Structure formats: structure tokens, C-alpha cells
Amino acid sequence: MRNGLDQFPLLPQQLDHYIGGRFVPSQSGERFANVAPAPDQAFGDVALGAAADVDAAVAAAHEAMAGPWGRSTAAERARILRKVGDLIVEHGEELARLETTDTGKPMAESLTGDIARAAANFRFYSELSAHQSAASYVGEDGTHHVSRREPLGVVGLITPWNLPLYLATWKLAPALAQGNAVVLKPAELTPLSVLALMPLLAAAGLPKGVVNIVQGLGAESAGEALVQHTGVSAISFTGETGTGEHIMRAAAPTLKKLSFELGGKGASVIFADADIEHAAFQAARAAFRNQGQVCLAGSRLLVQRSVYAEAVARVLDATMKIKLGDPLAEQTTMGSLISREHRQKVMGYVDAGRREPGVEVLCGGRVPPSLPIGAFYEPTILSGVRQESRLIQEEIFGPVLTVQAFDNEDEALALLNGTKFGLSCSIYTQDIDRAQRMASRARMGLVWINTWFVRDLHTAFGGMKRSGLGREGGQYSLDFFSDFKTISTAVAAHKRSL
Ligand code: NAD
């Protein structure tokens, strides 16, 4: 059943797994319905993977490693990666429409965000891997030591639904640059865009079996089978903190290398000396981009009391300008949440929160009456929320912003650091010393000063505390996907002296 999928030529006839260079159904024959969130419509049925499919994918990946790919040079791989980046740009419009249809995010965001970044991931790692050097050292006795990188072998990638192609390519590009073969399990809610990438990888010259996709669920299914597989050397996972904990336990018997990018509870911190207009605009953007379904979202707003009224009024003003509507429409700046189930979870937080003493709903808190079909939810701002509230302590992952006031830096830091998460924050101030003090004391993996979501692919990406394990990005990803081997060679003079 293809339903509306005919409009996407990159997609295969059947939404299957991709194993050994072919689209193949599940060995069990089972499938699951894929539902596009706006307007909640069945959007093809997808192969439901299980352990047997993961076995087949891992075997295909090992076969690829035993072939020319396993002997490929960094320069050869870099050429393929560059070509993939070019092909993503060439097919950008189709990929963006596909991503928007599958996720409900605005088309402009898919095009200039997700898809542009997917291409950038391949181009960046094409460059970086082509210019790597080995560390070499000549010992006192003349022995020549070289520490060099080798691929890990077959690696597993597990990705979430909020940035499907962007996050898949964020892991794929460095894994391939480093010469590994891959088994990727995309999120069950967004299985499509990585499938559409497969013909582009083949067209760029990637040999069969180097990238394999197994569709399906996570727990007690394809995801878990991948994590527990003895033929998989590493898992790079992005998703919820609770899932990360589960994966760590499940992976333990096979002693895999693990990289975790987990949940966040970011904050925008506005000091009285900030450019309030700019800070408020950025804070609204940080809270509501991608319907608030961003790990780096600034879902908390902390404002110094003397400018609280002004800053909150400006954030409200920026929020009112958001155009909620059909994700494919050009003017839309906020689309649908990923599913009705997820919206139910988001609403549950807001409805419980608004019953807490002192909490005031400043805007939103409703399903928009004009958009009854789909999983739309109004951008919502709540004030008067206590630090212990679940609204502050848990990741809602929706368009919900809480506002809190503080008097001084220490108080701001206590609020900022007062959750189990440690992924990201933005500090708004014109005092450079204060900005640096705050940045040093924030227990966050990413700190922006006077901005939000500015990413450079060279830099380390990841969270402190319960927001992650290890770092990805730039050289960090290449290190994760590498094994290191030191080869020590005795030189002739040294051998004679023995
Ligand atoms: P999730 O943890 O529910 O699922 C993520 C992936 O893991 C999916 O492919 C899922 O099928 C799979 N999975 C689930 N249980 C599994 C298991 N037991 N074993 C193996 N695989 C399993 O997360 P989600 O709801 O898809 O995504 C939202 C979460 O992702 C949020 O918490 C968000 O903060 C986080 N996220 C983090 C980053 C980051 O870089 N830190 C980026 C994007 C999203």
C-alpha cells in the first residue's frame, strides 16, 4: 500500500528494510502502519523488523567489510561522501517534502534545517576524514611507533523521530568516513527519509551492504536485537534518557562501545543588562522551533526580576507571531506534533501543571480550534511554576515554555542547574565577564552566549549529567567510530644491538 507515497520517486515500491543493497520485507512478513501526523493519515505500511532481520543486516554488513569497502582508503571514502552530500542537495526538495509529511514540521524548516544539515554532515566528514594524520613516534632505542585508526567494524545506529534524516546522517557520515559498515534502526514514527537516502548512497558509489536499515520498534524488538548483537561493535544512540539507561544495561554482556545523545531541559537565561528584544526573540525560537521537539530546546525561561515584565511581554509578542498551520504551506512557522499520542503526553503535563498552585497559563494550552485534524497544539507559556514541578524537572518535548524569575547570578545558576539534565542553555547579557562566569558554572554540554542553536560541525556535541555519554561532532565522532592500533617496528640498527 503506497497511499500518498507515489509523490516521492526516491522511495521504493514497498517500505521495507534495506539489507545487502536490496529492499527486503521482514522475515516474519509482519508490517506496521506509518501515520503522517498532519492530517493523521495512513502513509504506507512498513516492514516490522525483529532479531532475524537484524541478523541478516549484520551479516550483510560483515560481508561488505570483508570486501573492497574494508580495504578502502580514506580518500576513496571521502569522494563517495562528497557525492552523497551533492545528491542530497540535488534532491533536497523531495527529501524536505518527505520529512515534513512524515514529521509534521514546517517545510521551510525541513529544507533549510534538516535537509541542508544532512548534506552538510556528508560534506563535512568528507573533508575531515580526508585530512587525518596518524600519530608516529621514534623511541629512544630507534623503534618506530605508529598509532593508527582502523574501523570498528559493524556499528549500530539508533535514531529518534524529531530530526530523522539530519540525525541519521550525523551518525552515518562519520561512521562511513571511518570505514565502518552500518546497521541503522530509524525511529518507528519516521521510517521514510532514510529509506529515500538509500538510492542516493548507491548512486554515489557506496558498495552494497555497507549501509543497512532495519525498520521497527525499539524495546524487545529490532532496536534491542541490534544492541545485544555480538557482531556489532558499537552503538551510537540518540533518544530519551530512559532508553539510554535501558540500552546500557542490554549492551553490557557484549561490552560494546556506546555513545549516547539523550534528553535535555535547556533554558534561556535573560539578565537585566541583555538586549531584551533580541533575547526574547531567541527565547521564543528556542522554545518553539520544531514544535518544541528539540533536545536543545530552551524549554525554560529564566529572567532577572527587574526586567521580568518586559522580557515576558516580548516573548509573548514573538510567540503570537508564530503561524501555526499546514506544515506544507509556505507561511507556516509551526506545524504539527509528531503524533496524537505524543500530543496527549504534552497536554497531560500542561493540564496537570495548570492545577499547581500559582501556575498561570500566559498563552496557549489548547488544541487550536481551527486545526482539529492533525496533532497540532498551541505554543504554550506557563508562569509561576515551582522548580520541583514536573513541568521543570521532566522533558516535555513539546511547545511548552515555563517562566521563572531570579534576582542574581547564584539564583539563576541554581535554577539553571537544578534538573537532572545538562545538555544546553543560552545566556543573554552584555557583560562579558558575567557571560563567561555563567558559562563556566553551567553544568551543560553546550552553552550559547546571546544566541541559540548555532552549531559548528567541528565542535564537541553532547550533554553532561543525564543528557548523554561521550561526545559526537567533528573529530569526536571520528574517534568514536575508530579503533586504534599501535604498530611498533624495530629498525635494523636496533635489532643488531640486541
Ligand atoms: P526514544 O528513546 O523513545 O527512541 C529513540 C530510538 O530508540 C527509536 O529508534 C526507538 O525505536 C529506539 N528504542 C527505543 N527503545 C529501545 C530499546 N530498548 N533498545 C533499542 N532501541 C530502542 O526517543 P524518541 O521519543 O524517538 O526521541 C525523543 C528523545 O530524543 C528526546 O528525549 C530527545 O531529547 C532525544 N533527543 C536527543 C538529542 C541529542 O542530541 N541529545 C537529539 C534529538 C533527540
Side-chain angles (χ1 to χ4, degrees):
M1 179 172 60
R2 282 179 61 84
N3 294 325
L5 296 177
D6 292 329
Q7 39 175 326
F8 301 108
L10 282 175
L11 283 177
Q13 291 299 308
Q14 293 284 336
L15 302 175
D16 286 334
H17 310 302
Y18 185 73
I19 297 177
R22 290 188 311 126
F23 292 101
V24 292
S26 287
Q27 298 194 19
S28 68
E30 284 188 69
R31 309 189 74 79
F32 66 100
N34 183 46
V35 177
D40 313 290
Q41 115 193 335
F43 197 65
D45 58 347
V46 184
L48 181 64
D53 305 297
V54 171
D55 282 346
V58 173
H62 277 288
E63 207 179 312
M65 286 302 290
W69 181 253
R71 300 184 291 278
S72 60
T73 63
E76 286 164 348
R77 297 193 296 267
R79 278 195 289 277
I80 294 177
L81 263 58
R82 167 144 284 278
K83 180 82 180 140
V84 175
D86 294 346
L87 288 169
I88 291 175
V89 171
E90 202 177 300
H91 294 271
E93 178 79 19
E94 179 183 346
L95 290 168
R97 270 193 303 116
L98 184 60
E99 204 69 309
T100 283
T101 309
D102 210 15
T103 59
K105 70 176 69 192
M107 179 66 184
E109 226 171 275
S110 290
L111 198 57
T112 60
D114 299 61
I115 306 307
R117 283 168 182 250
N121 286 335
F122 277 102
R123 288 173 165 175
F124 175 80
Y125 279 106
S126 159
E127 292 288 317
L128 195 64
S129 66
H131 297 108
Q132 285 196 73
S133 56
S136 71
Y137 181 70
V138 179
E140 245 176 64
D141 59 2
T143 309
H144 187 202
H145 306 276
V146 179
S147 286
R148 70 173 196 205
R149 291 164 183 277
E150 295 193 353
L152 284 168
V154 176
V155 298
L157 313 180
I158 302 179
T159 50
W161 48 259
N162 65 326
L163 304 164
L165 194 65
Y166 170 42
L167 286 177
T169 57
W170 161 257
K171 296 177 188 298
L172 267 176
L176 296 177
Q178 209 42 63
N180 298 280
V182 168
V183 178
L184 164 65
K185 199 210 80 64
E188 51 272 36
L189 292 173
T190 51
L192 302 181
S193 53
V194 287
L195 275 187
L197 181 69
M198 294 305 106
L200 303 185
L201 295 184
L206 197 75
K208 290 180 174 43
V210 175
V211 173
N212 305 276
I213 294 177
V214 179
Q215 307 280 4
L217 309 179
E220 294 162 29
S221 180
E224 194 136 327
L226 187 58
V227 167
Q228 292 176 335
H229 207 290
T230 50
V232 174
S233 307
I235 294 285
S236 171
F237 167 75
T238 300
E240 285 182 14
T241 296
T243 311
E245 291 167 8
H246 193 95
I247 288 178
M248 189 173 238
R249 280 193 294 273
T254 56
L255 217 61
K256 288 182 170 56
K257 212 171 172 186
L258 298 173
S259 172
F260 286 168
E261 301 291 349
L262 307 176
K265 194 72 190 178
S268 301
V269 185
I270 303 181
F271 283 93
D273 61 8
D275 172 344
I276 305 290
E277 190 180 348
H278 167 76
F281 171 78
Q282 292 293 340
R285 208 177 132 241
F288 301 125
R289 191 183 160 102
N290 203 28
Q291 299 68 246
Q293 302 165 137
V294 183
C295 54
L296 305 171
S299 55
R300 298 182 290 147
L301 174 61
L302 314 179
V303 189
Q304 197 155 23
R305 206 173 303 275
S306 57
V307 292
Y308 181 88
E310 182 194 349
V312 173
R314 285 190 187 273
V315 173
L316 273 167
D317 195 44
T319 305
M320 292 306 149
K321 295 198 173 98
I322 290 172
K323 294 199 168 55
L324 188 58
D326 175 3
L328 286 166
E330 208 178 311
Q331 70 278 12
T332 296
T333 54
M334 183 186 268
S336 162
L337 302 197
I338 187 69
S339 67
R340 284 188 178 233
E341 292 71 27
H342 184 59
R343 181 175 67 181
Q344 203 56 39
K345 179 186 144 195
V346 172
M347 287 197 303
Y349 275 105
V350 174
D351 292 343
R354 75 200 326 162
R355 289 195 294 272
E356 291 176 13
V359 171
E360 193 184 340
V361 180
L362 301 183
C363 70
R366 299 183 311 171
V367 171
S370 59
L371 295 166
I373 299 169
F376 296 94
Y377 194 66
E378 288 181 344
T380 299
I381 304 181
L382 301 142
S383 66
V385 187
R386 289 163 305 116
Q387 183 71 7
E388 316 74 68
S389 167
R390 288 179 61 217
L391 288 169
I392 302 281
Q393 295 298 328
E394 296 179 16
E395 187 185 40
I396 299 173
F397 219 56
V400 179
L401 175 67
T402 56
V403 195
Q404 295 168 283
F406 64 85
D407 285 307
N408 53 46
E409 268 178 50
D410 283 346
E411 224 177 287
L413 272 161
L415 296 174
L416 177 63
N417 288 334
T419 78
K420 68 178 179 183
F421 299 105
L423 189 53
S424 63
C425 66
S426 294
I427 311 290
Y428 295 93
T429 174
Q430 297 194 35
D431 177 342
I432 188 71
D433 293 334
R434 165 177 284 152
Q436 292 302 322
R437 268 196 310 276
M438 287 292 294
S440 301
R441 295 173 70 195
R443 291 281 297 143
M444 303 283 173
L446 299 149
V447 179
W448 288 288
I449 295 171
N450 294 325
T451 189
W452 176 73
F453 207 25
V454 178
R455 289 276 305 120
D456 186 298
L457 292 175
H458 292 89
T459 59
F461 180 92
M464 294 182 177
K465 294 157 72 180
R466 303 291 283 278
S467 286
L469 184 70
R471 291 293 181 272
E472 296 187 350
Q475 192 64 38
Y476 300 87
S477 289
L478 291 181
D479 288 350
F480 177 75
F481 288 116
S482 299
D483 239 347
F484 293 87
K485 180 182 282 174
T486 298
I487 301 174
S488 302
T489 308
V491 295
H494 167 58
K495 280 190 206 153
R496 275 199 301 277
S497 72
L498 284 176

